[in-house]
Amino acid sequence: MPTPTDHTEGDGYDLRHHGDAEVRDDGGVLTDLAVNVRTGTPPQWLKDVIAVSLDGLAAYPDGRAARAAVARRHGRPVDEVLLTAGAAEAFVLLARAFAPRHAIVVHPQFTEPEAALRDAGHRVHRVVLEAADGFRLDPAAVPEDADFVVLGNPTNPTSVLHPSDAVARLARPGRTLVVDEAFMDAVPGESASLAARRDVPGLVVLRSLTKTWGLAGLRIGYALAGPEHIALLERAQPLWAVSSPGLAAIEACVAPDALAEADRAAADIAGCRAHLLARLGEFDDLRVAGTPAGPFVLVELPGAAAVRERLRDLGFAVRRADTFPGLDARWLRIAVRDAATTDAFVEALAKARGSGPERGNPTLSP
C-alpha cells in the first residue's frame, strides 16, 4: 500500500512543466503527441459562436446564462457552479480559499494542484500510487486525518479511470475532496463521474472544456460543489475572470447537441486508443501503465529519454513523464491520435529505438 510522504519544494520534480513545452518552439514541424487536446478542434460551429460573441466585447462579461447552462447540464442548482478560466485557475482558487492542515495530493497526477498549494504557502504530502498495482487508487492509503485531498479521474498522466465508488470513499466530514475530471468527457458515458453527486460531503469536482473542444487558448472550465464551497471559491476569484467569448463557448459546449457530439468523440477516442495499444503491443519490452481510459497512454520503455529526443528528430513530440512525482525518466506519455498518425508514430518509434517492433504484452501486470 502506498504511504504518504512529505516533500520539500523542488525535490527533483519540475511541477510547472507541461505538455505544451514539448511543442512550444517546434510545434509547426512536429506531430504533436505531447498535448492532450483533441485534434481537428474547435469545430466550425463553435468558432462561429465565439466569433459572434466578439460583437459584445465592449460590455463586461455576464456569466449568468453560462452558469445556468452548466447547472442544467449536471442537474445542480446555480449556486453549486463556479465558472473558471480553465481548471488550472480553479486549483489556484482552492489554494487561496482553503487553509488545509494536512493536504494530500495523490500522484502521479497533474502537477498544478500541488504547485498551487505550495505557492499559497501550504504544506503538501503525497500519496504515490504504484506501477505494480496499475496505478489504481487504494482509498485506505490516504490518511484519516487528511483534511484536503486532490485526485485526478481519469488521471493525467496514467490514464487510469478510478471507480466512482472508490473515489467517493475518500470523502469524510470536515475534509475537502477535490476530483479533477478534466478528461472525463473523453470517457464514453462518463461512467465514473461524480459531477452530479450532491450527497458526497466536501466534494469539489473540476471540469475543463479545453481538451475535447480545442479551447486551451480560451481557458474555460468550471467547479461543482456545495454552495458553501462555491461561495468561498467565488470570493477568492477576481471579477470577470472568464471572458465574454469564453462564456459563450461554455454555454455552447454544454448544450445537448454539443454533449452528443462529445460522446461521439469519446467513442472515436476509445477506438483510436485500442489501435494505439495494439500497435504498442508489438514491442516486447514496452509496457503500458494500467488500463488506459483517457485520450493518452503512459508507457515505460528502456532508454525513454533518448528515445524521446530521437523521436523529435523524426518529427514526433511526446510528453516526458519524469516531471510527475512517482515517475522517472523511464516513462513517456503519448496522446491518442487517429490510426494513420499512430501507424506513422510506431514506425518512427521503431527507428528511434534502433530496432523493429516485436510481439509482446503491453500492459503492466496489476
Side-chain angles (χ1 to χ4, degrees), residues 15-237:
L15 301 180
R16 294 296 190 186
H17 182 92
H18 300 297
D20 62 314
E22 310 284 354
V23 293
R24 191 173 295 139
D25 298 322
D26 301 314
V29 297
L30 294 174
T31 297
D32 182 5
L33 304 183
V35 175
N36 295 320
V37 173
R38 184 165 62 101
T39 57
T41 54
Q44 187 59 51
W45 65 263
L46 184 52
K47 292 180 184 178
D48 293 342
V49 168
I50 294 168
V52 169
S53 76
L54 300 181
D55 291 336
L57 288 184
Y60 283 94
D62 182 349
R64 288 177 295 176
R67 193 172 184 178
V70 171
R72 286 193 301 272
R73 185 255 192 271
H74 293 290
R76 306 182 72 126
V78 171
D79 63 358
E80 295 184 356
V81 176
L82 181 68
L83 308 180
T84 62
E89 188 206 14
F91 293 123
V92 174
L93 299 180
L94 286 160
R96 291 175 179 173
F98 294 88
R101 300 181 309 278
H102 188 180
I104 292 285
V105 178
V106 180
H107 283 290
Q109 77 150 320
F110 185 49
T111 52
E112 278 302 308
E114 179 171 329
L117 287 165
R118 291 189 181 280
D119 287 347
H122 305 305
R123 191 175 183 180
V124 179
H125 301 258
R126 296 174 184 159
V127 168
V128 179
L129 306 182
E130 298 176 359
D133 292 331
F135 296 108
R136 291 177 298 186
L137 173 66
D138 178 1
V142 176
E144 281 293 326
D145 64 346
D147 61 345
F148 193 94
V149 178
V150 186
L151 173 74
N153 199 33
T155 302
N156 172 21
T158 64
S159 200
V160 171
L161 183 68
H162 306 293
S164 58
D165 59 344
V167 178
R169 287 205 304 274
L170 291 174
R172 302 282 189 282
R175 171 185 290 178
T176 296
L177 171 60
V178 181
V179 183
D180 175 12
E181 293 190 358
F183 293 99
M184 189 62 77
D185 60 356
V187 178
E190 301 189 4
S191 57
S193 177
L194 295 178
R197 292 282 298 271
R198 303 179 64 212
D199 60 329
V200 180
L203 175 66
V204 180
V205 174
L206 305 182
R207 299 295 292 254
S208 171
L209 296 171
T210 63
K211 278 72 173 178
T212 287
W213 296 109
L215 297 173
L218 194 56
R219 311 306 310 138
I220 54 173
Y222 51 88
L224 305 168
E228 300 84 2
H229 279 33
I230 291 297
L232 286 172
L233 294 173
E234 195 166 19
R235 285 198 290 272
Q237 187 179 44

Side-chain angles (χ1 to χ4, degrees), residues 1-25:
M1 177 187 299
T3 55
T5 53
D6 185 22
H7 294 265
T8 57
E9 184 66 39
D11 85 346
Y13 293 105
D14 181 359
L15 301 180
R16 294 296 190 186
H17 182 92
H18 300 297
D20 62 314
E22 310 284 354
V23 293
R24 191 173 295 139
D25 298 322

